[in-house]
Amino acid sequence: MKVFITGASSGIGEALAYEYAKRHQNENTIIGLAARRSEHLQALQQTLEACYNIKCAIYPLDVRDSAALVAAANDFTQQYGAPNVVIGSAGVSSGTLTENAEDTNAFKAVMDINVTGLVNTFQPFINSMRLAVQRGETAQLVGIASVAGIRGLPGAGAYSASKAAAIAYLESLRVEMLHHSIAVTTIAPGYIRTPMTDINTYKMPFLMDADIAAHKFVNAIKCKKRFVVIPWQMGWVARLMRLIPPALWDRLAKNAPHKPRLDCDWL
């Protein structure tokens, strides 16, 4: 098993690395770990290799840097071959309001990381994965979207827009990859307990710990689900959200709590 994960230094990405390591320990398993914080990647590499007897390759990079991802993909495939699974898990969120000029940079950064970052992650792997499929290997691209992409949420225009774009992009990609027999899975989580949600001051229904979420994510990936909402309760919420008429949605969402605005190191 060969897996490449972005956003691996914390949150969902880190939990996914642990989940794959646990499932495939003592096997000929290679996990590529990419994220901005090299010290976190190094610590994770040491833990996974020592505790689960697997091989980790670390790539300190920002998913906005397409050249860095091309270099990482080339290094990984040259050393270990094409990955069976590539997971675009890098993502950011911050409260934003269009009326605030100072939030414009946050809008751009959220879109670049959450949407273009997926393109940068997948593109350099596709040719090698296509050839691997021809040799009888499995290949799958996985994007982490969000239930927040189902309807626009007040105070989270950048995040909702980015995740809606991610959902649409991944659907387009899924159809494109049918020609190459490369599976594409879109995972739309609800609230997962991570550093990104720890700052929220409002109630988060069906909040799920990251390790439990990662277990469910990997099950969905293994089954090659096309689109899945996790946890299942949020799946029903998402279905209802799609059915609410715009006028009613406006009244319901008008006074919803907003995500805090932050000074982030990715801006």
Side-chain angles (χ1 to χ4, degrees):
M1 170 63 74
K2 293 166 288 185
V3 183
F4 189 95
I5 305 170
T6 65
S9 63
S10 66
I12 291 173
E14 181 183 34
L16 285 167
Y18 272 103
E19 182 64 24
Y20 273 106
K22 291 174 185 176
R23 291 194 186 207
H24 299 282
Q25 59 185 309
N26 301 317
E27 299 176 9
N28 186 23
T29 300
I30 311 293
I31 303 181
L33 305 170
R36 290 182 301 112
R37 295 174 292 182
S38 60
E39 68 280 8
H40 288 73
L41 288 180
Q42 291 169 3
L44 180 59
Q45 178 188 37
Q46 292 170 4
T47 300
L48 294 181
E49 291 186 342
C51 295
Y52 301 105
N53 191 29
I54 63 167
K55 171 67 178 176
C56 291
I58 62 172
Y59 301 95
L61 55 80
D62 189 315
V63 295
R64 289 172 288 189
D65 187 344
S66 60
L69 273 160
V70 168
N74 288 340
D75 180 80
F76 188 92
T77 54
Q78 287 170 8
Q79 290 196 66
Y80 313 111
N84 303 107
V85 180
V86 176
I87 305 176
S89 182
V92 295
S93 176
S94 177
T96 51
L97 291 171
T98 302
E99 65 201 65
N100 295 332
E102 60 270 26
D103 285 356
T104 302
N105 287 337
F107 267 87
K108 184 177 187 303
V110 170
M111 296 297 294
D112 285 348
I113 294 169
N114 293 358
V115 185
T116 309
L118 287 176
V119 181
N120 292 341
T121 298
F122 297 148
Q123 189 278 325
F125 284 108
I126 289 174
N127 282 340
S128 62
M129 294 177 86
R130 178 175 53 82
L131 295 173
V133 168
Q134 293 174 2
R135 296 192 299 268
E137 299 181 35
T138 60
Q140 188 169 5
L141 304 172
V142 181
I144 308 300
S146 172
V147 171
I150 304 298
R151 298 295 292 260
L153 301 176
Y159 187 68
S160 287
S162 72
K163 292 305 184 178
I167 290 170
Y169 161 66
L170 290 163
E171 185 167 50
S172 297
L173 182 67
R174 187 177 73 239
V175 179
E176 293 167 3
M177 290 298 103
L178 290 175
H179 297 286
H180 306 307
S181 298
I182 297 174
V184 176
T185 294
T186 304
I187 299 176
Y191 290 110
I192 308 299
R193 196 186 305 278
T194 67
M196 195 164 71
T197 59
D198 285 344
I199 63 170
N200 293 344
T201 57
Y202 47 83
K203 184 178 179 180
M204 294 177 282
F206 313 118
L207 180 66
M208 178 177 285
D209 288 338
D211 58 339
I212 296 173
H215 181 81
K216 294 180 182 296
F217 287 12
V218 175
N219 284 343
I221 294 167
K222 185 177 179 180
C223 294
K224 291 184 168 57
K225 296 282 189 181
R226 291 175 171 83
F227 180 92
V228 61
V229 177
I230 294 173
W232 66 266
Q233 295 94 330
M234 288 302 293
W236 285 105
V237 172
R239 291 183 180 92
L240 291 173
M241 288 167 66
R242 289 191 183 100
L243 297 174
I244 296 174
L248 179 57
W249 176 258
D250 291 353
R251 289 199 296 272
L252 292 172
K254 180 180 179 180
N255 296 315
H258 291 189
K259 190 175 186 71
R261 296 173 66 230
L262 303 171
D263 292 324
C264 302
D265 61 358
W266 40 264
L267 287 175

